[in-house]
Amino acid sequence: MNLRDIHTPVLLERCVELLAPALQHDGAVLVDATLGMGGHSEALLERFSHIRLIGLDRDTDALRIAGQRLERFADRVTLVHTVYDEIGLHAHGASGILMDLGVSSLQLDEAERGFAYSKDAPLDMRMDQTKGTTAADVLATYSEGNLRRIFERYGEEKLAARYARFIVRSREEKPLVRSQDLVDLLQAATPAAAQRAGHPAKRVFQALRIEVNSELSVLADAIPAAMDALTVGGRIVVMSYQSLEDRLVKQAFAAASASTAPAGLPVELPQHAPRFRTITKGAEMAGEEEKARNPRAIPVRLRAAERIREAA
């Protein structure tokens, strides 16, 4: 199968447009902090023949596929197996940084990874299958209170307490090791009226995935580290797919683009001036045509910022 056929990059043209001003000069370095299957990176390498790419991903399968896809650019590409909160180790002096957050198309489409509640598979959900705790481990070992906490915090699930109680009761008889086991339990635990509000597994699976991969804590560290790695004139583009991610991005961009001058100071000193300016007005969304063509673009929220001065 053609690698281009298995992945449609979200908001590709808008990402290229936003990053282009930062990639015009010779020696420009683009960091794709969530490389995935390399769709965005391929397009940027094609259109900017002088740039060098550093691609980061925690998923070894993604790195393998992206390596094949980007093979013709091998002399300009460096791929790194790492979690993107370590971006500061690999991206110092970057001209552009792209982050496409959340679960990847590869992870959703490979049933055996356990990310999709619509496909029966082992409850794994690790983005890096070489290490770490699986979703099955979480369900088997977390207390009822901790399960409730992650369902509420990461899934914004109204029935979190009820689901946690059912899981703890069920695992005493039989461990939850497959996605269908969990889906069946959640459906049984969901009152009929609540069933009409959407699939009962959607928010629980999201919460488990975020917990297994420490996604929000990693992102909270990664965004400021990425911004610090940019040169003056460098740009960062971030695509989020749920409100918790987008809120962290929004807060980091707002803090970096605000003056730090104390209230009442008659003149803003240079060291208090904003380090960044936001490029997008709020969060941008995909157009209706792209949403129809690529359903995974439906929830996307894109934000971008440009570095305008060095740190004090």
Side-chain angles (χ1 to χ4, degrees):
M1 179 183 289
N2 189 321
L3 293 175
R4 294 188 180 193
D5 295 335
I6 61 176
H7 176 228
T8 303
V10 172
L11 288 174
L12 176 59
E13 293 304 321
R14 185 56 173 151
C15 289
V16 173
E17 179 185 11
L18 288 166
L19 288 166
L23 302 177
Q24 299 297 328
H25 62 281
D26 288 339
V29 176
L30 170 67
V31 179
D32 189 338
T34 50
L35 182 65
M37 289 185 282
H40 289 94
S41 287
E42 179 182 44
L44 287 156
L45 286 162
E46 285 176 341
R47 299 186 199 192
F48 302 96
S49 59
H50 57 280
I51 67 169
R52 185 165 63 87
L53 173 79
I54 300 174
L56 314 180
D57 210 292
R58 64 168 73 179
D59 190 326
T60 54
D61 286 344
L63 287 169
R64 173 181 54 78
I65 292 172
Q68 296 172 16
R69 186 171 192 163
L70 304 177
E71 188 173 11
R72 68 187 188 279
F73 307 109
D75 60 332
R76 295 194 281 135
V77 171
T78 301
L79 303 184
V80 184
H81 180 217
T82 188
V83 182
Y84 60 80
D85 61 346
E86 296 186 351
I87 190 169
L89 300 177
H90 308 285
H92 182 70
S95 309
I97 294 176
L98 177 64
M99 292 183 170
D100 189 5
L101 305 176
V103 65
S104 72
S105 300
L106 171 66
Q107 291 156 351
L108 283 172
D109 290 341
E110 290 193 351
E112 65 271 17
R113 303 293 292 270
F115 286 98
Y117 56 82
S118 59
K119 303 171 183 176
D120 186 34
L123 279 165
D124 191 321
M125 297 194 192
R126 292 173 299 166
M127 292 179 177
D128 181 353
Q129 291 190 299
T130 67
K131 59 185 177 182
T133 300
T134 68
D137 295 331
V138 170
L139 293 170
T141 61
Y142 277 32
S143 68
E144 182 178 330
N146 273 338
L147 289 171
R148 174 179 178 172
R149 173 187 59 82
I150 66 170
F151 297 160
E152 288 177 337
R153 182 178 179 189
Y154 300 148
E156 300 178 292
E157 174 54 66
K158 294 179 180 178
L159 295 175
R162 182 179 178 88
Y163 289 157
R165 185 168 64 252
F166 269 69
I167 288 168
V168 170
R169 186 185 305 161
S170 174
R171 75 189 187 191
E172 293 175 356
E173 300 178 6
K174 178 185 176 184
L176 294 163
V177 295
R178 298 190 67 84
S179 54
Q180 192 61 52
D181 297 335
L182 180 56
V183 168
D184 290 345
L185 182 149
L186 294 172
Q187 288 179 323
T190 305
Q195 296 260 7
R196 292 191 289 271
H199 200 292
K202 181 178 180 179
R203 289 178 291 275
V204 170
F205 270 63
Q206 174 181 296
L208 286 169
R209 190 200 81 219
I210 291 173
E211 175 71 10
V212 165
N213 297 290
S214 304
E215 289 180 44
L216 293 183
S217 61
V218 167
L219 180 61
D221 291 337
I223 294 294
M227 297 174 81
D228 286 344
L230 283 170
T231 59
V232 173
R235 291 187 169 197
I236 178 171
V237 175
V238 185
M239 288 180 284
S240 308
Y241 295 84
Q242 42 99 347
S243 60
L244 299 173
E245 292 174 338
D246 183 55
R247 191 175 306 142
L248 287 173
V249 178
K250 177 182 178 180
Q251 291 169 347
F253 282 11
S257 59
S259 170
T260 59
L265 197 69
V267 178
E268 182 183 66
L269 299 174
Q271 62 266 33
H272 294 145
R275 295 183 300 119
F276 282 78
R277 70 176 183 93
T278 54
I279 305 168
T280 51
K281 186 176 182 180
E284 295 185 357
M285 296 174 284
E288 294 305 316
E289 182 180 335
E290 179 167 0
K291 289 178 182 178
R293 185 176 66 252
N294 183 12
R296 287 176 183 163
I298 292 172
V300 72
R301 298 291 183 272
L302 180 149
R303 296 180 188 271
E306 179 180 339
R307 185 160 195 168
I308 56 177
R309 76 166 178 88
E310 295 284 0

